[in-house]
Amino acid sequence: MGKDPLSDGEIAAKLAELPGWAREGDTITRTFGIRYHGGVALIVNVADVERLIGHHADIDLRWDHVRFGITTHDAGHRLTAADFDLAARIDRIAAAHQAQSHNT
């Protein structure tokens, strides 16, 4: 997956395809509501995929939610197509775990 930084227009278009994800500077974030042990299982499944694709999110686990933050570190902490690919994969995994959108 491409690791060239995206323009602001490209980022906006890709975010429009991923409801629930938001831009915070040069990171995209999403929080899922899920109980602690379910969150651990969700993280393990995400980590397995991240290892396979060679790209990872910053993950914050709390008792009732998990927050993912994604940027491409080796592109100078800028947003790339790889970030949006990972976000879509996280969405599919979270749905399989019945995680819900969480307002922070």
Side-chain angles (χ1 to χ4, degrees):
M1 185 62 46
K3 297 233 177 165
D4 293 324
L6 299 174
S7 69
D8 286 338
E10 291 169 319
I11 292 167
K14 288 193 175 289
L15 273 176
E17 298 171 5
L18 291 170
W21 288 88
R23 183 177 184 181
E24 294 180 11
D26 285 323
T27 301
I28 55 173
T29 65
R30 184 164 186 194
T31 302
F32 294 94
I34 190 167
R35 295 299 300 253
Y36 185 84
H37 288 93
V40 170
L42 169 62
I43 290 168
V44 168
N45 287 161
V46 168
D48 285 342
V49 169
E50 291 173 332
R51 181 181 49 81
L52 292 173
I53 65 173
H55 196 52
H56 71 278
D58 294 324
I59 303 171
D60 180 23
L61 172 64
R62 302 300 169 124
W63 73 271
D64 69 342
H65 67 274
V66 177
R67 181 182 184 274
F68 295 92
I70 309 171
T71 190
T72 301
H73 301 285
D74 56 359
H77 297 272
R78 306 261 321 265
L79 289 167
T80 69
D83 300 315
F84 293 92
D85 174 65
L86 178 55
R89 291 171 188 257
I90 290 171
D91 281 349
R92 289 190 293 273
I93 295 166
H97 284 268
Q98 300 179 336
Q100 304 296 315
S101 289
H102 186 274
N103 296 330
T104 55

